Amino acid sequence: MTAEDSSIEAVGALADPVRRALYRHVADAPEEVGRDAAAAAVGVSRTLAAHHLDRLVEAGLLVAAYRRPSGRTGPGAGRPAKLYRRAAAEIAVALPPRSYGTAGRLLAEVVERAGLDRRLQDAARAEGERERTPDADLPAVLRERGYAPYPDGPGDPGGPGGSGGSGGEVLRLRNCPFHALADEFPALVCGMNLALLEGLAGEGWTVAMDPGPEGCCVSFSKNNIH
């Protein structure tokens, strides 16, 4: 089986609507997800959820591990539960085949060598402003663009922790859409991404470089505008 065959099979696993809903739930969750929680989230039985979750693991879209519930140790802590999280591997299918990644790396290398960081940031900020819609829901906009936002900080029990900003609403991003290029050209690509998100967010949010253990290094703090 070729790499393209494997990618097509992995994406094909999401054709089932229940399986797709389970994948989205696990991918958007701030922490690992158990079978009971996943089943309740999409409204199916635990048995059916377990079948589809394990099918997603086989397809390489999720990874699973056995752990005891958080904070429980020693005798009486109960049996370890099977927990799922999104796999780190990237899976892409382009028909006919395309190679935008190669073009992106070449362009990034030229821009970095030429010292055009500021020009790139200006262009990215202008692009964000051009695409910004007044009164749009920022988390929804970010979700649509693949950033997988989640609330973090005081009053947001679903967040996995972190600095939490100054006590107001804080959004963090579980996914970086430019991950491969950011790994290779971190200063260039992360600066571009920050400028793009500044333009997209507008005046209602303070956008900052605030790296966490994983995901995108940008966070958003809600401004108090009266």
Side-chain angles (χ1 to χ4, degrees):
M1 181 181 292
T2 66
E4 183 182 76
D5 291 337
S6 298
S7 296
I8 291 173
E9 284 204 357
V11 174
L14 296 172
D16 184 283
V18 173
R19 201 174 295 155
R20 189 162 61 247
L22 286 165
Y23 174 77
R24 284 174 172 160
H25 175 70
V26 174
D28 288 343
E31 297 178 332
E32 296 173 314
V33 177
R35 289 173 168 175
D36 289 332
V42 304
V44 300
S45 71
R46 185 182 188 280
T47 300
L48 183 60
H51 165 74
H52 285 304
L53 288 167
D54 287 340
R55 178 68 185 85
L56 290 167
V57 172
E58 292 172 8
L61 296 168
L62 299 181
V63 293
Y66 286 91
R67 304 186 202 285
R68 287 193 170 85
S70 179
R72 296 184 184 178
T73 59
R79 297 172 55 189
K82 193 170 188 178
L83 304 174
Y84 301 83
R85 60 182 169 82
R86 184 180 59 188
E90 294 184 18
I91 297 173
V93 174
L95 300 173
R98 298 289 187 257
S99 187
Y100 299 115
T102 300
R105 283 193 297 276
L106 290 171
L107 289 168
E109 186 173 349
V110 170
V111 170
E112 189 169 68
R113 286 184 177 180
L116 297 174
D117 304 51
R118 290 295 181 87
R119 295 281 297 274
L120 177 62
Q121 292 168 18
D122 290 344
R125 189 173 292 103
E127 175 68 10
E129 291 171 350
R130 187 183 67 80
E131 296 191 7
R132 186 172 69 221
T133 302
D135 302 323
D137 179 62
L138 181 61
V141 172
L142 294 171
R143 193 173 299 111
E144 185 177 340
R145 289 168 173 268
Y147 283 98
Y150 64 93
D152 188 24
D156 296 315
S163 65
S166 58
E169 182 178 354
V170 175
L171 285 177
R172 297 187 188 279
L173 308 173
R174 190 170 300 106
N175 184 56
C176 172
F178 310 109
H179 177 70
L181 283 176
D183 262 1
E184 197 165 350
F185 307 93
L188 179 73
V189 175
C190 292
M192 177 204 71
N193 184 46
L194 175 65
L196 175 67
L197 293 174
E198 286 174 341
L200 196 63
E203 296 180 352
W205 297 83
T206 297
V207 188
M209 198 73 82
D210 183 18
E214 59 182 15
C216 177
C217 55
V218 174
S219 70
F220 299 78
S221 299
K222 185 77 171 178
N223 295 331
N224 293 319
I225 300 176
H226 300 288

